[in-house]
Amino acid sequence: FFGIGGSPELCILALPPIPWQQAHKTQAHSGNPSIDPMKFNISALAMAAVLSAGATSTVTLAFAPSSSANHHHPSLAVSSFGRPAFVAQRQYPSDEFILHMVGGGKDEEASKNLNEYKKNISSKRITEASGKSDEKIDVAMKFGGSSIANADRVDHVTKLIKDQIAAGYRPRAVVCSAMGKTTNSLLAAGDFALEGRVNIDAIRTLHMAAIEQFGLPQHVSDEVTALLDECQDMLRGVSLLQELSPKSLDQLVSYGERCSVRIVAARLNQIGVPAQAVDSWDVGIVTDSNFGDAKLLPGYEKTVKDAFSSKIDPNVVAVVTGFIGKDGKGRITTLGRGGSDLSATAIGASCGLDEVQVWKDVVGILT
């Protein structure tokens, strides 16, 4: 960082934390029991921040993740251009965060900047050194098709949700896509129906296998079976009429999300998390009639907020269909590419939730 000048506009410094085992060896070798790897990392990063950024520059400190259960380290450090750096120090084992300034400006100005910075962060996310908040963090969580691709993935996701609840989050909505490649399979089934062949056996097998693996209640099996039977009947109509309009395609692909939320909600209930499956139009997701790429109608925020206030118990997880909605005439529509992300953020914004979390089953995010 010295190579980019004395007052860089931005300095990014990554310093991998020292594993506890290495720290213990260092202590044993030196005979100095006072070495604390967490304190060492904070001190080294803070010193580097001050050295590289001076009084006015921005510093972003990045902490490498660790796979060791015995390895504790700060989790996040951020700042904005032209302001001092702040380190969000992770407190173990409570997983709370305390903001610390590590450089830049006079004491009075630093305190002012820190207070201003904190105003823009939910009070539920910041714990003052003097105390602790038990307030829940209200969130909307979104899981895509690959995250719930089969029974094993559904099991993983539902247990993850349960763990998040134990960590202090309150999922007001869990938005789900169709399982795996179900949407593609439904579109392919539509093409086959135009050729006179009606077959959704693979789609039926995927969903019923999950229901059987979990041993879900009979009413869940009945609901999913009814949806798949309706889907098959629709495809028979496509085969007879030799017509598959954008309106029909939207209804066809909707069966994927409508089946998946019922399975996810049932599994959550099975592991002790109160949940209910909800079709998006029942919580106010109303769109225009541009089938295949519909837009949310103006004023949807109030409709969604009112629906959650009147229909959904705050302590019950609403497992909501992503990607789909209904127009003013009650016809099913889809929200286009990234529609499930839109569903989650629309619900989060409308209900004034603290966070919208888009969960991925990969180690990085492609931007």
Side-chain angles (χ1 to χ4, degrees):
F1 51 77
F2 290 107
I4 59 176
S7 295
E9 283 300 313
L10 173 65
C11 174
I12 300 178
L13 172 67
L15 183 66
I18 298 176
W20 282 100
Q21 294 85 349
Q22 181 180 340
H24 291 159
K25 289 178 183 177
T26 303
Q27 292 175 18
H29 179 73
S30 65
N32 182 0
S34 65
I35 297 176
D36 184 323
M38 183 171 181
K39 290 179 180 178
F40 173 84
N41 284 315
I42 294 173
S43 301
L45 285 167
M47 183 179 295
V50 174
L51 286 173
S52 62
T56 60
S57 299
T58 296
V59 181
T60 299
L61 308 179
F63 295 87
S66 169
S67 59
S68 170
N70 296 320
H71 180 185
H72 318 312
H73 56 81
S75 293
L76 178 68
V78 293
S79 70
S80 56
F81 282 91
R83 293 184 181 177
F86 304 106
V87 175
Q89 179 184 343
R90 187 174 184 177
Q91 302 297 294
Y92 186 84
S94 64
D95 275 354
E96 297 159 358
F97 291 84
I98 298 178
L99 286 179
H100 298 280
M101 180 170 292
V102 296
K106 299 178 181 178
D107 289 346
E108 184 177 342
E109 182 184 355
S111 178
K112 179 182 176 182
N113 283 335
L114 180 55
N115 289 332
E116 182 182 346
Y117 193 88
K118 284 185 177 183
K119 287 179 184 177
N120 295 321
I121 302 177
S122 169
S123 59
K124 300 176 185 179
R125 298 289 289 172
I126 302 175
T127 302
E128 299 293 346
S130 58
K132 173 181 178 181
S133 172
D134 293 325
E135 199 171 0
K136 295 289 186 182
I137 301 172
D138 288 329
V139 299
M141 306 169 76
K142 180 262 178 176
F143 295 93
S146 58
S147 295
I148 53 172
N150 52 43
D152 290 338
R153 297 302 302 162
V154 170
D155 188 50
H156 177 79
V157 162
T158 52
K159 288 175 179 175
L160 184 154
I161 294 168
K162 185 175 183 178
D163 289 343
Q164 289 296 103
I165 293 172
Y169 291 93
R170 181 166 61 177
R172 295 300 313 279
V174 170
V175 177
C176 293
S177 299
M179 291 177 66
K181 299 294 184 181
T182 297
T183 299
N184 289 340
S185 298
L186 286 166
L187 290 171
D191 287 337
F192 283 125
L194 288 172
E195 298 173 0
R197 294 178 289 169
V198 176
N199 190 324
I200 60 167
D201 288 352
I203 298 169
R204 192 183 294 273
T205 297
L206 173 67
H207 292 84
M208 300 313 295
I211 291 171
E212 291 172 10
Q213 181 170 325
F214 295 139
L216 297 179
Q218 185 61 42
H219 73 86
V220 178
S221 178
D222 292 344
E223 286 181 36
V224 173
T225 297
L227 285 168
L228 293 174
D229 287 347
E230 183 181 310
C231 175
Q232 191 160 357
D233 289 343
M234 179 189 170
L235 288 169
R236 290 193 184 101
V238 170
S239 177
L240 290 170
L241 295 174
Q242 290 295 290
E243 181 178 293
L244 190 57
S245 66
K247 171 181 170 293
S248 297
L249 279 170
D250 276 4
Q251 179 170 340
L252 176 62
V253 298
S254 75
Y255 291 106
E257 277 75 12
R258 293 158 75 186
C259 288
S260 71
V261 298
R262 284 156 174 80
I263 292 172
V264 172
R267 181 57 178 161
L268 282 169
N269 281 308
Q270 198 175 50
I271 65 173
V273 177
Q276 68 181 92
V278 181
D279 291 322
S280 60
W281 44 81
D282 290 330
V283 287
I285 301 297
V286 182
T287 74
D288 60 22
S289 302
N290 184 24
F291 298 104
D293 191 20
K295 301 294 186 293
L296 295 169
L297 291 179
Y300 75 87
E301 297 94 340
K302 184 179 186 304
T303 307
V304 171
K305 183 178 181 180
D306 290 347
F308 267 85
S309 297
S310 61
K311 297 180 180 180
I312 308 296
D313 185 322
N315 296 309
V316 173
V317 178
V319 185
V320 184
T321 54
F323 182 57
I324 61 176
K326 277 187 176 179
D327 69 5
K329 296 181 180 180
R331 299 174 296 185
I332 294 175
T333 58
T334 59
L335 300 174
R337 185 173 180 84
S340 293
D341 288 6
L342 176 58
S343 302
T345 51
I347 291 171
S350 300
C351 297
L353 304 184
D354 298 300
E355 293 181 6
V356 171
Q357 301 175 347
V358 177
W359 287 82
K360 298 292 183 182
D361 61 330
V362 293
V363 296
I365 296 175
L366 177 65
T367 64

